[in-house]
Amino acid sequence: MVSKRMLELGTARSAIRELFEYGKKRAAEVGEERVFDFSLGNPSVPAPDAVNEAAIRILREQPELIHCYTSAQGDLGARQRFADSLNGRYGTVYKADDFYVTVGAAAALCCVFHALTCPGDEFIAFAPYFPEYEVFVEGAGAKLTVIPPEMEGFQIDFEALSEKINVHTKGVIVNSPNNPSGVVYSRETLERLAALLEEKSVQYGHPIYLISDEPYREIVFAGVEVAWIPRIYRDTIVCYSFSKSLSLPGERLGYVLVPKEITDADLVYAAVAGAGRSLGYVNAPSLFQQVTSLCCDLTADISIYEHNCNLLVSELRAMGYHVVQPGGAFYLFPRSLEADDMAFCERAKQFDLLLVPGTGFGAPGHVRLAYCVQTEMIERALPKFKALADSYR
Ligand code: PLP
């Protein structure tokens, strides 16, 4: 016998993976240049040269720093450099001991949900949302409540949120810049959210933590502000990753930041460490703790994402697609041209356009395009998007 739920999770492929596999099969049939795969959020720009140079230098000169265990919560020097980087950018006074280094944002989120969850607890996410939240929250023994999307600009439907928060709400998850919409929450949205959470924390007599999932923090386009959320809402815990900002998804490096200002900070940090231990996540990869901490003020060349974004938004709008302008990340979340986004994605496949249905992100009637691809592929795909739109006329 094995766990029924784990068996389900291990055998049911995600819609994204399913499409990716389909794309590979189709490319073998008709040729790679004829398939337009917008399914996966795999960064298309290389990591900065400094990343590879740091890795090579450490391998050559400091072998004692790698291939070895570090402290369970991450190497002290690396954590201090993460703190220094944020302090330099945001004027904060974080210390090494506020950081728990993890295997990417996925592990950071799992550690936080496990750390915070007591029997009966609930977390809230806003659609459209990263579907793994369901798996992570449920895995920690809590319940995920989803707030339907605010359709104008994918900000927050505060009325719906206010109704859903209850005495069991332990935390609210935000992800800005957002996967899958690319939207960045405005300062006004975040201030309203902070005010509501403060009011509800008082009403229910316990803190409602804001879990800020920030793997796209640095991938933001001209003129758009990504506010430092812990400054706006005191009880914020940050989950970060270098997967996207440094184009290092395979190296699995991120962290949890538990600022000292949050309620019960020491208890929360200790519980995060306990969750890391219980999940077997201690000691993120040593080499990349060093590399990312030496390169954490750098960002991969995101100008290509901005160019791809602008190209797609203007061309798709001209064809009649409804698209909310993203402020960052590398996703676009247009409305599907029929209410049934699954049927729309099936029809898109007839044009060899691989798009992900919005239903899995909690926003039916939409599709996700990951435009972290070669610009030249987007240019070749545009006539296909036009033909797809024409097929509905
Ligand atoms: N959160 C969001 C919103 C994501 O899009 C992703 C990955 O795509 C993750 C978390 C997980 O990131 P990591 O690769 O660092 O585990």
Side-chain angles (χ1 to χ4, degrees):
M1 277 293 272
V2 293
S3 150
K4 193 163 161 274
R5 181 62 185 139
M6 292 304 131
L7 185 61
E8 267 168 26
L9 285 175
T11 46
R13 259 208 213 124
S14 79
I16 299 174
R17 287 277 158 192
E18 199 78 56
L19 258 184
F20 181 64
E21 294 303 327
Y22 169 84
K24 283 200 291 193
K25 203 170 120 245
R26 183 76 182 140
E29 283 163 20
V30 298
E32 214 164 294
E33 68 296 341
R34 294 228 167 92
V35 179
F36 307 99
D37 186 351
F38 292 94
S39 64
L40 265 193
N42 219 356
S44 56
V45 300
D49 288 344
V51 166
N52 293 337
E53 285 158 14
I56 291 166
R57 196 176 59 247
I58 295 166
L59 281 167
R60 286 216 175 105
E61 295 170 15
Q62 294 168 287
E64 74 284 0
L65 277 184
I66 50 163
H67 309 317
C68 58
Y69 289 125
T70 64
S71 302
Q73 68 271 39
D75 175 72
L76 179 63
R79 286 183 287 124
Q80 187 57 53
R81 286 189 286 276
F82 295 144
D84 293 343
S85 168
L86 295 183
N87 294 342
R89 278 187 272 168
Y90 301 113
T92 46
V93 289
Y94 300 130
K95 299 199 165 55
D97 285 348
D98 304 337
F99 291 78
Y100 185 87
V101 185
T102 59
V103 179
L109 289 161
C110 287
C111 285
V112 170
F113 296 137
H114 275 80
L116 294 180
T117 299
C118 301
D121 278 351
E122 300 178 7
F123 291 88
I124 290 178
F126 303 103
Y129 65 96
F130 179 53
E132 293 301 281
Y133 293 156
E134 268 164 35
V135 180
F136 299 165
V137 166
E138 188 199 289
K143 176 185 159 206
L144 184 73
T145 299
V146 175
I147 307 295
E150 182 280 301
M151 297 298 256
E152 279 317 298
F154 297 128
Q155 297 283 316
I156 291 176
D157 178 343
F158 282 100
E159 228 168 275
L161 173 62
S162 183
E163 271 171 29
K164 290 285 183 198
I165 297 178
N166 64 70
V167 70
H168 302 293
T169 306
K170 181 54 77 68
V172 170
I173 310 162
V174 286
N175 167 224
S176 166
N178 180 265
N179 174 8
S181 71
V183 160
V184 175
Y185 285 158
S186 67
R187 182 171 281 275
E188 188 202 350
T189 293
L190 292 167
E191 284 172 353
R192 262 188 91 179
L193 177 62
L196 182 64
L197 295 185
E198 276 157 21
E199 179 196 316
K200 295 284 184 183
S201 298
V202 171
Q203 181 180 341
Y204 293 115
H206 64 79
I208 298 175
Y209 292 105
L210 191 58
I211 295 117
S212 183
D213 177 24
E214 311 191 345
Y216 304 94
R217 183 166 71 213
E218 285 82 14
I219 305 181
V220 60
F221 307 146
V224 177
E225 182 204 14
V226 176
W228 181 240
I229 298 180
R231 173 146 306 127
I232 296 176
Y233 184 64
R234 199 187 55 138
D235 279 327
T236 299
I237 301 167
V238 175
C239 294
Y240 184 73
S241 165
F242 294 97
S243 294
K244 318 287 176 168
S245 62
L246 285 178
S247 291
L248 293 175
E251 305 301 352
R252 315 304 301 132
L253 222 298
Y255 57 71
V256 181
L257 163 63
V258 181
K260 279 282 175 284
E261 300 79 33
I262 73 166
T263 309
D264 295 329
D266 292 344
L267 290 183
V268 172
Y269 186 91
V272 166
R277 182 177 169 197
S278 139
L279 292 164
Y281 288 170
V282 292
N283 192 163
S286 320
L287 173 60
F288 274 83
Q289 289 192 43
Q290 297 304 323
V291 172
T292 55
S293 69
L294 292 169
C295 299
C296 58
D297 285 323
L298 303 176
T299 305
D301 178 7
I302 61 166
S303 63
I304 295 156
Y305 300 143
E306 184 161 12
H307 177 75
N308 288 354
C309 178
N310 291 338
L311 175 66
L312 271 168
V313 169
S314 65
E315 293 289 334
L316 292 186
R317 280 183 178 162
M319 294 172 198
Y321 291 89
H322 181 282
V323 190
V324 172
Q325 178 75 44
F330 37 57
Y331 307 102
L332 210 61
F333 203 58
R335 281 187 200 158
S336 48
L337 296 177
E338 60 181 297
D340 183 344
D341 50 299
M342 310 273 203
F344 177 74
C345 288
E346 278 307 308
R347 192 186 292 201
K349 269 186 181 169
Q350 292 169 17
F351 298 86
D352 285 314
L353 289 171
L354 307 189
L355 316 176
V356 185
T359 297
F361 302 96
H366 295 82
V367 290
R368 189 189 80 170
L369 278 83
Y371 57 78
C372 40
V373 295
Q374 301 305 314
T375 307
E376 174 265 335
M377 185 194 99
I378 296 177
E379 284 160 354
R380 283 189 291 108
L382 290 175
K384 302 287 180 181
F385 280 107
K386 173 83 169 57
L388 175 61
D390 287 346
S391 78
Y392 282 92
R393 295 207 168 92

